[in-house]
Amino acid sequence: MPVDGSLGLILPEIVLAAAGMVVLAAGLTWRQSRLPGVLAILGIAASAAVLVNRVWGQTAEIWSGTVMVDGYANLFKAIFLAVAAMTVLVSLDYVHRNRLPAGEFYLLLLLATVGMMFMTGSLNLLTIYLGLECLSLASYSLSGMLRKSPRSTEAALKYILIGAVSSGIVLFGMSLLFGVAGSTHLRDIAQALAHNGSLAPVLVAGMMFLIAGLGVKMAAVPFHMWAPDVYHGSPAPVAAFLITASEAAAFGAALRIFLVGLPALADEWRTVFIVLAVISMTVGNITAILQTNMRRMLAYSAVAQAGYIMVGLAVASDRAVSAMLYYLMGYAFMTIGAFAVVILLGRQHPSEEISDFKGLGQRAPFFALALTIFLLSLIGIPPTAGFFGKFYLIQAAVGADLTWLAVVMMINSIISIPYYWGVVRTMYLREADDKAPLPAPAGLRWAAVIGVLGTLALGLFPDTFVQIVSAVQVVPAWISMAF
Amino acid sequence: MDVTRIVFLALAAVAVVSAYRVVTAPKIMHAALWLGFTFFLVAGVFLTLGAEFLAAAQVLVYVGAVTTIILFGIMLSQAAEVRSRDPLPSELLEGMAFWRRGVLPVVATVAFVAIMVMVYLRASWPAPTGGVADTVRLIGSALFTTYVIPFELAAVLLLIALVGAIVLAIRDDDKEEQGS
């Protein structure tokens, strides 16, 4: 054991991984029962309890600098656990109905979450990369789990091919950084860069590879080609998980890598992220208008949302980082909530076309109302999380003399109104062919309730949450002192 | 130019050519064999860099295990499913395919190599550290002390890969599910 307490500080990850094993074993014995799902929820709850009681508020770099525990990492761990719990809730009925192998499904979900926790919980490129790979490999197999659906198989195949290439690109970028710094630790890379300006071309090359590789996970244009097919073809709960958690993890790791490891190249990577943000928003929103399928629409809307969030990365001030974290929290609640409604509808209309939503206002009033709130939040209308998220991002952009970027963001929000609002109109103003109420499983109901509560709480008490996120430091204090 | 350097350059050049053959070989079996050969050459590159342990692991794991598994995979799947592409229906499409498959990759590769060579030449690399003896012991102790968490994480990764592969590949024995 290196230092006392090192084990205690990664206990949330250990508990989660152990819960995964229990779930797998339970899935072997009770193949067609909901027990594995319930056990997964309990495991997530146990991990969250350990996180809150034992780890919250602590700051330490442990295990020879391969794991970093601080407010930033803990906040992301909390977000990931919340997303994982909501994903399990929306999966309970889905897994059972589609006869997915429950033990394996929840195991992969939990281990993907462990991977994400290490992605944001480290300043060492090695750990970050391994976390990313855990997330990626679990995502590939999760997205192909509907083996009778050609769409799902296509999604898994496309994702694994593009994902494998992007992993290679990330690794190549990391190897360049390692080559000049002689260390995989971000602090050493930052120091090598600060002391020797002639290294810059290599580091710029490494930086570009990292942006491209992580851009694939963020689904930013032009690295988004896999996203519509994967979000459309994979099992709906998996799509919800990937669209929120995987994207958040990529942003979380990117913030750490670029702000801690490459601050000297800030001008270069900020320019790249500004360009990516503008084209992601614009391409995502304009393509989303053309979609008739709900899940494809949400996929392109996710590309656009990634563009909004990337504005925070492009500005990269303290304020922008807080805005990003706030937005990521809100985005998780509203997107998984929206997917809960899509999954509910998918029980009767497997095609999930937007026209299938007609009359949902009568058939499932609560879910229609919930979806309305989520879509309003995705547009950015007060008093929802989406409004304040965009507001803080715009404020940060203006504060950094990027007013034009803020204007582009506002124009894009306006472009997005028709396609989000179209769904609301279909739900309330068009009559359904079949007016029978939609039966709702408890898991979906709970997920929608949590989504609504989260979206509204973030929107109604923004100050409380802004205080939480602005207390978080991306660059640990002891690193900024080292220069 | 000393001998090690000449050997390194020769190995690297042949490795590039053989990697190129992996993607251009018309028969998948040939591609797999070229891949095994590439792995072998990379092991040689490791040897010239003084990383004996990595070279041995490369031969054991990549040449020994990975290539063999790939060959098994090819032999166990129906050979008819795996063949090179048919000619495209129209001349226009053939022409486009020529640009996309023939010209564009070459242009992209040349541009990439040019940029990377420029980048490598302009950087001042840290001075090479002298060779280390006893790399096995060093790697072993680093793996189980400094890098124990990444090591454990790699174990988790392996489990994910195992479970994921089984989930995607297993045949349903469930009687209720027809036609799988």
Side-chain angles (χ1 to χ4, degrees):
Chain A
M1 278 313 109
V3 191
D4 279 341
S6 289
L7 205 58
L9 288 177
I10 57 162
L11 209 52
E13 286 90 336
I14 296 175
V15 168
L16 207 56
M21 307 302 140
V22 175
V23 168
L24 182 67
L28 287 175
T29 321
W30 295 279
R31 292 202 73 81
Q32 292 299 327
S33 103
R34 277 156 214 240
L35 184 71
V38 175
L39 286 174
I41 292 256
L42 290 177
I44 294 168
S47 174
V50 175
L51 178 68
V52 172
N53 288 322
R54 300 279 303 272
V55 185
W56 201 262
Q58 307 231 37
T59 302
E61 184 159 48
I62 47 178
W63 298 99
S64 326
T66 51
V67 177
M68 177 78 200
V69 174
D70 62 352
Y72 179 82
N74 287 338
L75 182 72
F76 267 102
K77 282 174 201 170
I79 296 178
F80 296 146
L81 287 174
V83 170
M86 284 176 74
T87 310
V88 176
L89 278 179
V90 297
S91 308
L92 283 174
D93 171 68
Y94 190 92
V95 167
H96 189 67
R97 203 158 32 87
N98 289 291
R99 300 176 166 281
L100 301 182
E104 289 86 341
F105 180 91
Y106 294 113
L107 169 80
L108 290 173
L109 197 67
L110 293 184
L111 292 185
T113 312
V114 172
M116 295 191 298
M117 288 161 98
F118 278 111
M119 261 175 92
T120 49
S122 175
L123 294 179
N124 197 313
L125 288 177
L126 190 61
T127 319
I128 294 176
Y129 173 72
L130 282 166
L132 175 71
E133 276 302 281
C134 284
L135 167 64
S136 307
L137 278 183
S139 319
Y140 306 148
S141 26
L142 280 172
S143 55
M145 272 213 175
L146 286 173
R147 288 182 306 143
K148 296 212 176 50
S149 144
R151 250 188 231 295
S152 176
T153 310
E154 185 192 339
L157 193 63
K158 275 195 180 156
Y159 201 16
I160 196 166
L161 289 176
I162 294 183
V165 173
S166 82
S167 287
I169 292 174
V170 165
L171 265 187
F172 191 44
M174 287 181 174
S175 75
L176 289 177
L177 299 189
F178 173 75
V180 291
S183 159
T184 49
H185 201 285
L186 291 171
R187 177 200 54 219
D188 302 332
I189 292 167
Q191 265 162 2
L193 189 54
H195 293 149
N196 193 346
S198 67
L199 297 174
V202 186
L203 287 167
V204 171
M207 175 198 89
M208 293 303 289
F209 287 120
L210 280 172
I211 292 178
L214 289 170
V216 171
K217 285 280 163 232
M218 296 170 189
V221 179
F223 313 113
H224 70 295
M225 293 304 185
W226 58 276
D229 290 316
V230 171
Y231 294 159
H232 184 196
S234 52
V238 175
F241 181 73
L242 293 181
I243 228 169
T244 49
S246 170
E247 199 179 302
F251 276 110
L255 270 176
R256 270 276 164 88
I257 293 175
F258 293 114
L259 285 171
V260 180
L262 301 167
L265 294 176
D267 289 337
E268 282 82 0
W269 52 259
R270 282 182 56 192
T271 315
V272 179
F273 280 125
I274 289 174
V275 174
L276 289 183
V278 170
I279 54 177
S280 297
M281 281 191 257
T282 316
V283 172
N285 275 322
I286 290 175
T287 326
I289 297 177
L290 307 172
Q291 305 304 317
T292 56
N293 180 282
M294 182 68 178
R295 270 220 253 163
R296 278 192 104 76
M297 189 273 264
L298 283 175
Y300 282 107
S301 120
V303 172
Q305 302 280 340
Y308 299 144
I309 299 170
M310 207 175 268
V311 170
L313 204 51
V315 175
S317 60
D318 285 350
R319 219 186 200 176
V321 171
S322 313
M324 264 177 90
L325 297 177
Y326 179 92
Y327 202 98
L328 284 171
M329 278 202 271
Y331 181 64
F333 284 117
M334 54 207 183
T335 307
I336 300 205
F339 262 91
V341 184
V342 176
I343 293 169
L344 173 82
L345 205 81
R347 282 160 58 92
Q348 286 200 358
H349 305 271
S351 57
E352 294 159 339
E353 294 295 312
I354 292 177
S355 56
D356 292 334
F357 280 75
K358 60 192 176 190
L360 195 72
Q362 297 161 317
R363 300 180 69 191
F366 166 70
F367 282 96
L369 180 68
L371 186 58
T372 309
I373 292 172
F374 301 137
L375 292 174
L376 289 180
S377 181
L378 284 167
I379 301 175
I381 286 178
T384 55
F387 169 74
F388 284 102
K390 275 192 189 146
F391 176 74
Y392 292 134
L393 281 173
I394 286 173
Q395 211 178 28
V398 173
D401 281 335
L402 284 168
T403 314
W404 68 271
L405 190 59
V407 172
V408 171
M409 204 174 147
M410 280 189 263
I411 294 173
N412 262 291
S413 302
I414 294 166
I415 299 178
S416 76
I417 294 176
Y419 65 83
Y420 288 127
W421 191 248
V423 178
V424 178
R425 259 194 15 209
T426 312
M427 284 195 302
Y428 286 106
L429 298 182
R430 287 180 57 191
E431 291 280 314
D433 305 328
D434 170 17
K435 291 204 181 57
L438 279 175
L444 291 182
R445 202 175 280 277
W446 275 104
V449 168
I450 297 173
V452 169
L453 287 179
T455 310
L456 289 181
L458 278 157
L460 291 173
F461 312 104
D463 295 338
T464 322
F465 290 95
V466 167
Q467 263 174 9
I468 296 175
V469 292
S470 51
V472 161
Q473 284 178 311
V474 186
V475 186
W478 54 269
I479 284 197
S480 10
M481 278 189 297
F483 290 99
Chain B
M1 213 189 255
D2 56 323
V3 180
T4 325
R5 189 159 190 154
I6 294 168
V7 172
F8 168 78
L9 286 175
L11 282 171
V14 182
V16 168
V17 172
S18 114
Y20 175 76
R21 295 294 293 153
V22 176
V23 281
T24 53
K27 286 192 179 147
I28 192 157
M29 193 59 130
H30 294 176
L33 291 172
W34 280 112
L35 187 66
F37 189 49
T38 313
F39 288 148
F40 200 73
L41 291 164
V42 172
V45 171
F46 285 147
L47 266 185
T48 64
L49 297 174
E52 297 87 4
F53 178 73
L54 266 188
Q58 172 84 9
V59 171
L60 284 176
V61 177
Y62 283 89
V63 184
V66 174
T67 311
T68 315
I69 297 275
I70 291 177
L71 292 179
F72 266 130
I74 295 168
M75 285 190 261
L76 290 177
S77 59
Q78 284 124 327
E81 291 170 14
V82 189
R83 57 157 182 255
S84 61
R85 71 190 172 91
D86 297 324
L88 289 167
S90 75
E91 258 179 49
L92 180 68
L93 282 177
E94 276 294 347
M96 279 169 67
F98 171 71
W99 285 102
R100 279 188 53 195
R101 295 197 177 124
V103 178
L104 198 62
V106 173
V107 172
T109 310
V110 169
F112 177 75
V113 170
I115 292 174
M116 287 317 292
V117 166
M118 208 185 72
V119 161
Y120 282 132
L121 290 180
R122 282 186 57 191
S124 62
W125 298 93
T129 48
V132 252
D134 211 2
T135 48
V136 181
R137 187 188 299 273
L138 281 175
I139 291 177
S141 69
L143 215 49
F144 285 98
T145 53
T146 318
Y147 296 107
V148 67
I149 289 290
F151 181 74
E152 294 294 331
L153 206 51
V156 172
L157 185 61
L158 201 58
L159 176 72
I160 293 175
L162 266 175
V163 173
I166 291 171
V167 161
L168 292 184
I170 199 170
R171 290 199 190 279
D172 294 312
D173 49 359
D174 199 341
K175 288 280 182 295
E176 292 165 88
E177 289 185 280
Q178 299 287 319
S180 60

